[in-house]
Amino acid sequence: MARRATLKDVAQAAGVSVTTVSLVLNGRPARVSMEKRELIAKAAKELHYVPNQSARSLVTKQSKLVALIVPDIENLFFAALSKCVEDECAAQGYSLIVANSDDSRTVEHDLMVRLSSRGVDGMMLIPARESCAAEDKLQADVEQVACPVVLIDRLVQNGWCDAVGFDNYVGGQLAARYLLEEGHRHIGIVTGDVAESSAFDRKRGFMDAVEQAGEHFDPALCVAGDYRFDSGYQAADRIVDGGATAVFCCNDVMALGFRQRLAERGLQVPQDMRVIGYDNILNRFGLGMHMTTVEQSVAELAAACWRMLSTRIDVAISRTGAGKSEDDSESEDAQGGERPWLSRPRVQVLTPRLVQAVRA
């Protein structure tokens, strides 16, 4: 293996001191002529010099690493969100570590411990379903993380941590009102796991909108799903045979499964059954089927959570570099002063929108 070029190598090649090279390559103020700056840049390029981030972290107190923990990386929404978050991080010179919890609280806990020990500057977390059902344990885990944390998508009930997500209750209402305005009265719904807050809110918004319209909802037309293709597919027979003329699938992937079963039964969308999804994620993967859906923009969500996290990181770094002693830091930490994402949490709720199909 070829030896990695060092600052000393660059300095020797450029005929300057190691200190001068360090100042120039790190973009710090220095009285160095343009001629020498060009020599340093040329030497670094020819030697294929790459800064040692570990060594730099010791000085800057920054790893330039950020973690994102998702519950299911195979879920198209979470996969697309990960890509958008990575783009946001990269634009500010950060690298993103994406980890999959498999919707398990135990795995999630282990990931939080391991990633925190890696010295990440910040952490974004979409809580596992088990954690949503045991919020006190989730809070205890988050409180042990040394860096700023932002919860995404599955928002906690009591707002004890920085969080960004869409208003799922409003999203459920949008779906119901659209179908009601289309003249449908026998409407089915394929839910997510309602033990998790976003799935519960989508269902609640849908039900409330139907009730507010003065319509009766048949409980037999409510089928529990799990946000996967097969649960939408399996729900179709029950909802169709129950006499529904329309269905709200609480994510686009279940809507795909539902439509697959309709096609197998010789039924057409929208002539025989109106289908509305949730997320508006399919076109990113070439799976768009001219389907009306409730959009929660992954680009908007990624930008909002990164703004919140990067602001917290900047403040944390500035405090770390302010010359405080360890005793001062421990005292402030005990008072919550070093963890404003917990002591003074910000919660941003984004608004979903209905995206109608061109033809469906």
Side-chain angles (χ1 to χ4, degrees):
M1 181 182 294
R3 186 176 70 85
R4 179 174 177 171
T6 65
L7 282 175
K8 185 177 180 180
D9 296 328
V10 176
Q12 288 178 343
V16 297
S17 70
V18 172
T19 300
T20 300
V21 172
S22 177
L23 290 171
V24 170
L25 294 184
N26 285 296
R28 295 175 184 168
R31 293 182 178 180
V32 181
S33 69
M34 184 56 66
E35 180 182 359
K36 287 186 177 180
R37 288 179 182 272
E38 290 175 353
L39 283 173
I40 292 169
K42 182 173 181 291
K45 182 177 181 180
E46 290 176 348
L47 292 170
H48 304 290
Y49 171 75
V50 178
N52 186 324
Q53 185 58 51
S54 296
R56 179 177 288 181
S57 297
L58 294 174
V59 177
T60 64
K61 308 301 182 184
Q62 284 183 281
S63 66
K64 303 300 284 188
L65 293 173
V66 173
L68 170 64
I69 301 176
V70 300
D72 180 8
I73 196 62
E74 291 184 334
N75 182 298
L76 297 184
F77 179 80
F78 298 137
L81 178 63
S82 299
K83 173 63 169 64
C84 289
V85 170
E86 183 176 37
D87 290 344
E88 294 289 336
C89 294
Q92 291 193 30
Y94 282 83
S95 296
L96 181 69
I97 301 172
V98 181
N100 182 49
S101 72
D102 278 331
D103 248 332
S104 162
R105 208 198 82 76
T106 300
V107 174
E108 178 183 87
H109 169 83
D110 291 343
L111 286 172
M112 292 173 72
V113 172
R114 277 190 279 145
L115 290 168
S116 182
S117 70
R118 287 280 301 272
V120 295
D121 292 331
M123 187 179 295
M124 290 167 276
L125 169 66
I126 303 172
R129 289 193 185 119
E130 294 176 358
S131 295
C132 293
E135 193 174 314
D136 56 335
K137 295 180 180 178
L138 172 63
Q139 183 172 356
D141 284 346
V142 171
E143 288 174 348
Q144 295 303 309
V145 176
C147 64
V149 177
V150 173
L151 304 182
I152 310 175
D153 187 46
R154 298 174 176 177
L155 303 185
V156 295
Q157 297 298 314
N158 298 316
W160 45 263
C161 182
D162 280 355
V164 182
F166 277 89
D167 192 327
N168 288 280
Y169 180 82
V170 168
Q173 288 185 311
L174 287 173
R177 288 170 181 165
Y178 172 78
L179 295 175
L180 290 166
E181 289 170 3
E182 289 284 303
H184 298 281
R185 294 298 177 264
H186 300 287
I187 306 172
I189 179 173
V190 185
T191 72
D193 182 350
V194 295
E196 180 263 302
S197 62
S198 62
F200 177 80
D201 287 343
R202 284 177 207 178
K203 177 184 176 182
R204 185 168 60 91
F206 174 85
M207 295 294 196
D208 285 354
V210 171
E211 182 179 337
Q212 290 162 8
E215 300 296 332
H216 169 72
F217 180 78
D218 182 356
L221 299 180
C222 178
V223 180
D226 60 6
Y227 289 149
R228 292 180 177 270
F229 181 95
D230 190 60
S231 64
Y233 180 93
Q234 296 296 335
D237 285 339
R238 176 173 161 184
I239 289 176
V240 171
D241 294 341
T245 61
V247 63
F248 170 38
C249 295
C250 288
N251 84 338
D252 289 343
V253 175
M254 291 194 299
L256 276 182
F258 197 100
R259 290 176 64 134
Q260 174 65 32
R261 182 57 185 148
L262 290 180
E264 291 174 358
R265 293 183 55 153
L267 300 174
Q268 293 184 312
V269 177
Q271 293 88 338
D272 301 309
M273 171 75 73
R274 175 73 74 173
V275 179
I276 183 170
Y278 202 102
D279 287 337
N280 193 27
I281 205 70
L282 298 179
N283 285 331
R284 282 179 167 268
F285 299 90
L287 299 172
M289 296 177 64
H290 306 289
M291 184 166 62
T292 296
T293 185
V294 177
E295 179 181 60
Q296 44 179 9
S297 166
V298 288
E300 183 182 356
L301 180 58
C305 68
W306 175 245
R307 279 196 303 271
M308 185 174 288
L309 184 63
S310 62
T311 298
R312 294 298 199 192
I313 291 173
D314 289 345
V315 172
I317 295 299
S318 67
R319 295 178 70 91
T320 302
K324 298 180 185 300
S325 69
E326 290 187 11
D327 289 341
D328 290 336
S329 297
E330 289 176 2
S331 175
E332 288 185 351
D333 200 35
Q335 298 170 13
E338 289 292 310
R339 296 169 181 255
W341 56 93
L342 294 173
S343 61
R344 297 184 300 279
R346 302 168 182 168
V347 177
Q348 183 177 2
V349 180
L350 307 174
T351 303
R353 69 187 186 98
L354 186 77
V355 177
Q356 295 189 40
V358 176
R359 54 178 180 86

